[in-house]
Amino acid sequence: MSDISQLEDRLGYRFNDVSLIRKAITHSSYIKEHNRSGQSNERLEFLGDAFFDAIIGEELYRLFPDKEEGFLSRTRAALVCEKSLAEEALRLDLGSYILLGNGEEHNGGRKRESILADTLEAVIGAVYLDGGFEAVKELVLRLFAKTIEDARHGKFVIVDYKTALQEKLQNNGAARIRYVLLKESGPDHNKTFQVQLEVNGRPAARGTGKSKKQAEQNAAKAMLEREKL
């Protein structure tokens, strides 16, 4: 693993509490294989996901004063998706710093999109806890400046099946949409997730993927294609 100070250089942020960034790059497979008593980065990932979503949402609200809610939702979903996070993590070479178990290491975990995206979210959570909201907002807007600029100029196609499905169903009346995790299978380094999409409490479609987010997108895509919505 590379030196933490190198990662701080890449991020453009110095931690007051270095234990936070160390936790942010600690994958659950490392904790399990090394019988460590500490926590993996999963809680920080949860926190980072929430702040990342809010910061991007606020920025889009500011950049597009005349756009409707549907456009803002689709654009935000495209910017905060797993692929967007993973691409930025690759640019930062974040994979070189992640603490992984041997199984995940030998199966390409450092380049796995879901792990890279989750780790970057954990880093965002760590920066919030270390420096507060203004620090994490500055970090996010700086790291994703090009992506946001591309969105502002319409340079990429937004493919967000979950938002598209929600809009189409709600155009036909109120709809309660929920994604339920049915099962996860496989070893830690190569898990597969299966989710069930429920509409108004009834099963509507299923999707699988290498992350829960991907499985949810695939379930929404399956329903859109089946119902020709």
Side-chain angles (χ1 to χ4, degrees), residues 148-218:
I148 293 170
E149 190 66 12
D150 285 347
R152 192 164 75 88
H153 292 289
K155 289 185 178 179
F156 62 86
V157 177
I158 299 169
V159 181
D160 174 28
Y161 298 108
K162 288 176 65 177
T163 302
L165 176 65
Q166 181 175 333
E167 289 180 349
K168 289 180 181 296
L169 290 177
Q170 289 180 341
N171 285 340
N172 297 322
R176 290 182 291 106
I177 302 171
R178 190 164 76 111
Y179 295 87
V180 180
L181 179 63
L182 294 179
K183 67 177 181 179
E184 52 183 272
S185 57
D188 285 343
H189 62 270
N190 192 25
K191 281 189 177 296
T192 297
F193 298 86
Q194 184 180 61
V195 302
Q196 181 166 274
L197 164 62
E198 294 181 355
V199 178
N200 294 329
R202 296 185 176 183
R206 291 186 179 184
T208 59
K210 289 301 181 181
S211 69
K212 284 181 279 189
K213 292 178 181 178
Q214 185 183 69
E216 290 173 357
Q217 287 284 348
N218 287 337

Side-chain angles (χ1 to χ4, degrees), residues 11 21 36 47 87 94 97-98 113 125 139 191 196 224:
L11 292 170
I21 184 60
R36 297 296 180 96
L47 188 63
E87 287 177 352
L94 187 57
Y97 303 89
I98 302 174
E113 199 169 80
L139 177 83
K191 281 189 177 296
Q196 181 166 274
L224 283 165

